[in-house]
Structure formats: C-alpha cells, structure tokens
Amino acid sequence: MIVFIFASQITIMTITQLQYVLAVAEHKNFTLAADKCFVTQPTLSMQIQKVEEELNIQIFDRTKKPIQLTEIGLKIVNQAKNIVNEADRMKDIVEQQKGFIGGEFKLGIIPTVMPTLLPMFLNTFVKKYPKVKLIIEELNTDDIILRLKNGNLDAAIAATPLNEDKLKEIVIYYEPFVAYIPEKHRIADKKEIEVSDLNLDEILLLQDGHCFRDGILNLCKNQDVAPANNFQIQSGSFETLIKLADEGLGLTLLPYLHTLDLKENDKLKLKHFKDPKPAREISLIFPKTELKIQIIDALRQSISGVIRGAIAFQNVEIINPLPKK
C-alpha cells in the first residue's frame, strides 16, 4: 500500500493497482491487460477506476480505440513505473542479501545471436539455477531497447555499443565477421581477405531490421557503387544467403559462431579477414537500476564459461551495429 499526502487529502493505492495501470498503458486494451495480469477484466477495471477516483483524474481516454492515455495519465504512468521499479528493487535487495537466485527473468536476444549462442549455454544455466524461470524472446535491437526502457525485459543480448543513457552494457564476447565465398568467385583463391576486396553490390544481405546487416553496411561505408545485378535479395536467414551464394548470386558475410555448424564442404568456402578482423561486440544489456543483477551476473558467468573455448580471436576491430547514416 502506498500513501500519498496532498495538501487537501490523503490518497491510498497499492502496487498491484499501479501494475494494472501499467498493463493497460502497455496493451491499450482492458481485456488484454487483465489476461496478462491473470485477473478478470471487471476486477482490473474496478481497481483502475479506484486509482482515478483517488487522484480525481482520468488516466485513460476510453472513448478512443485503442485506449489512449490522457495528458495527465501519461505523467501518472511514468511515475507509476518508477514506483513499481523501486518496489521491485526492494525485493531484489532482500533476495541478494539472502543469496537467492530465482524467479521470473525475461531475456531478449537478437535473431543473429539466438540460434548459435542459446544452445551453447541454456542447458548449463537451467541446471545450475533451477529456481530461475527464464522467458526468452527473439527480438530485434529496436524492440529490445524499447522493452528494456518500459520494464518489459529484465535484460537482453545484442550487438553493442548502443549508447543508450538508461541502459548498461557488459561485453561478453567479440565475434569476427567471416566471408562465405563460393567456388569460382574472383577472390575464392585468397587465403585471407581484406575489406577492400569486397564489393557491396555483390554481398547478399539480411533484410532490414537486423543489426548484422547494418554492421556490414558500416563495414563497407566507404564504398559508393552502383548495383551491378538486375536483382536485389534480402533474407532473414543465413541459410538462405548461403544457398544463394552457392548458386553464384554473390557472397555473404556470417558471424563466426554461425560458421561452426556448417558442413565440412561449406567450411572450405569460408575466408577470414586479415588482422585486425572486423567483428561485432556482443553484450548483456540491462537497465541501470540493475534489478535482478544476481541473475544477470549468473547469465554472464554461464555465457563466458562456454564462449571462452569457442572464440579465441584477440586482434579485432569493432564494427558499429547502428544503421549507416
């Protein structure tokens, strides 16, 4: 229960009521918010109405579809986030003091990291920390940033640096770019390649929204070439890009971990860059409030333990994952 004392009245509300307000603000629908909070819609509506009556304001404009925040409602929601976060922080402090590592933990992972990294550490982590309920979702970087700021994720794994004021980043590894170059390509006979060997117009890229694509564009940012092909292909799958390269439609770049699971014949088509190798920085990202930091630390240690033997490159040059300007 929270007690607010104003000049003319005492206002009482609960953390649960504020959580209901935040749920409606997020989902813009009372029924959906009630489902997410595991209560009936009438119960949720009644509790929110009590908050509005206590404050003598209207938080939501119910005449609009979807439901919208009023001007004062937006300010109330922002403050409610702070209050709920601080309440969670109090519980977190107690759990840290007791040495408890458990509870629900929401983790976002970008698509170009999840298929390779997750199988490497997940089994070890869940066995070591059986009281942690991991909820893992594949998300692009923009969604990760938004959800971390809104409190809908506890942490994420993504390419950095992101330079977000409210977020903290802990680097867990550096992953080099590796070229997949089919036979008979003009640079197929080179033992090692340089960025200057690449032509941007012949690189098969992931579709928009993938930070690995943006990293490649930044890698080749000094190139200004006109497309030489009469087609343009963008895919959400490295496997598709590899198959297209094998058909003679170009070459593609892959994250190093993705190359470990290729067939032996396909590995013969891989070309590493000369030092310093272009690479991406992969980090654990979380709000600076450091809620559930004990689980974040456990994740970092688990990932570091398995990644150490998989990536041994030292001389790398970090390519910014942010979109090319």
Side-chain angles (χ1 to χ4, degrees):
M1 181 182 296
I2 305 167
V3 180
F4 295 97
I5 302 178
F6 297 100
S8 58
Q9 67 182 64
I10 297 176
T11 299
I12 301 174
M13 64 189 74
T14 66
I15 295 294
T16 300
Q17 287 174 324
L18 296 182
Q19 289 172 332
Y20 292 166
V21 170
L22 294 179
V24 175
E26 177 185 354
H27 299 290
K28 296 180 172 58
N29 182 285
F30 277 82
T31 302
L32 184 56
D35 289 341
K36 296 295 182 179
C37 294
F38 304 104
V39 295
T40 64
Q41 190 269 330
T43 297
L44 180 136
S45 296
M46 179 181 67
Q47 292 301 320
I48 290 178
Q49 188 175 350
K50 284 184 177 180
V51 174
E52 291 178 319
E53 290 173 352
E54 284 281 353
L55 297 174
N56 195 27
I57 60 163
Q58 188 176 10
I59 299 174
F60 299 103
D61 185 346
R62 296 163 175 79
T63 65
K64 295 182 179 179
K65 301 294 180 183
I67 292 169
Q68 299 294 318
L69 287 165
T70 62
E71 185 177 350
I72 186 62
L74 178 60
K75 296 179 181 179
I76 294 298
V77 164
N78 288 335
Q79 187 61 32
K81 288 178 183 178
N82 294 333
I83 295 170
V84 172
N85 283 340
E86 287 304 314
D88 289 340
R89 180 64 174 156
M90 290 177 65
K91 291 186 289 185
D92 200 47
I93 290 170
V94 173
E95 289 177 352
Q96 288 183 50
Q97 183 67 26
K98 293 179 178 179
F100 176 75
I101 300 179
E104 184 177 281
F105 190 85
K106 297 178 182 178
L107 179 69
I109 309 179
I110 59 173
T112 57
V113 166
M114 188 164 178
T116 51
L117 180 63
L118 190 60
M120 295 176 70
F121 78 86
L122 183 59
N123 191 40
T124 301
F125 182 85
V126 296
K127 286 181 178 178
K128 188 173 182 179
Y129 304 102
K131 294 181 180 180
V132 177
K133 181 184 177 182
L134 271 181
I135 300 174
I136 304 168
E137 191 171 358
E138 186 175 276
L139 299 165
N140 65 37
T141 303
D142 288 340
D143 286 338
I144 280 174
I145 293 171
L146 180 62
R147 294 196 188 196
L148 284 171
K149 289 182 175 180
N150 288 342
N152 298 319
L153 279 181
D154 296 304
I157 300 173
T160 54
L162 299 179
N163 301 315
E164 292 286 337
D165 291 340
K166 295 183 179 180
L167 303 180
K168 189 172 182 178
E169 303 169 1
I170 296 179
V171 178
I172 45 180
Y173 63 93
Y174 299 103
E175 184 175 28
F177 290 38
V178 181
Y180 182 88
I181 302 174
E183 298 173 359
K184 298 182 180 179
H185 190 276
R186 60 180 177 81
I187 58 173
D189 293 333
K190 288 199 167 192
K191 291 184 179 180
E192 290 184 311
I193 63 172
E194 301 179 69
V195 174
S196 59
D197 292 323
L198 303 176
N199 284 335
L200 185 57
D201 61 281
E202 66 178 356
I203 299 177
L204 301 166
L205 296 169
L206 292 173
Q207 63 195 22
D208 283 338
H210 289 272
C211 61
F212 191 76
R213 165 198 167 89
D214 295 327
I216 293 173
L217 293 177
N218 278 335
L219 178 67
C220 302
K221 62 186 177 183
N222 294 326
Q223 294 188 24
D224 186 16
V225 295
N229 299 318
N230 59 354
F231 61 85
Q232 184 177 15
I233 299 173
Q234 296 179 10
S235 172
S237 163
F238 284 124
E239 285 71 24
T240 299
L241 298 182
I242 288 170
K243 290 178 181 178
L244 293 173
D246 284 335
E247 290 296 321
L249 296 175
L251 61 88
T252 192
L253 299 185
L254 305 171
Y256 175 75
L257 288 181
H258 192 90
T259 68
L260 300 181
D261 292 330
L262 293 180
K263 297 176 181 178
E264 291 305 313
N265 285 341
D266 288 337
K267 287 183 179 180
L268 297 175
K269 302 168 188 174
L270 297 175
K271 300 292 178 183
H272 292 279
F273 285 87
K274 292 181 179 179
D275 290 341
K277 302 180 189 302
R280 61 177 180 170
E281 178 182 272
I282 303 298
S283 300
L284 263 171
I285 309 160
F286 49 94
K288 287 186 175 179
T289 54
E290 296 191 357
L291 286 172
K292 303 184 182 180
I293 191 64
Q294 68 274 29
I295 299 179
I296 293 170
D297 284 339
L299 268 174
R300 179 185 56 79
Q301 292 172 18
S302 295
I303 295 171
S304 297
V306 299
I307 209 71
R308 214 174 282 123
I311 297 183
F313 298 99
Q314 300 295 329
N315 195 356
V316 297
E317 178 183 359
I318 306 306
I319 305 301
N320 197 312
L322 300 177
K324 182 180 178 183
K325 300 298 184 182

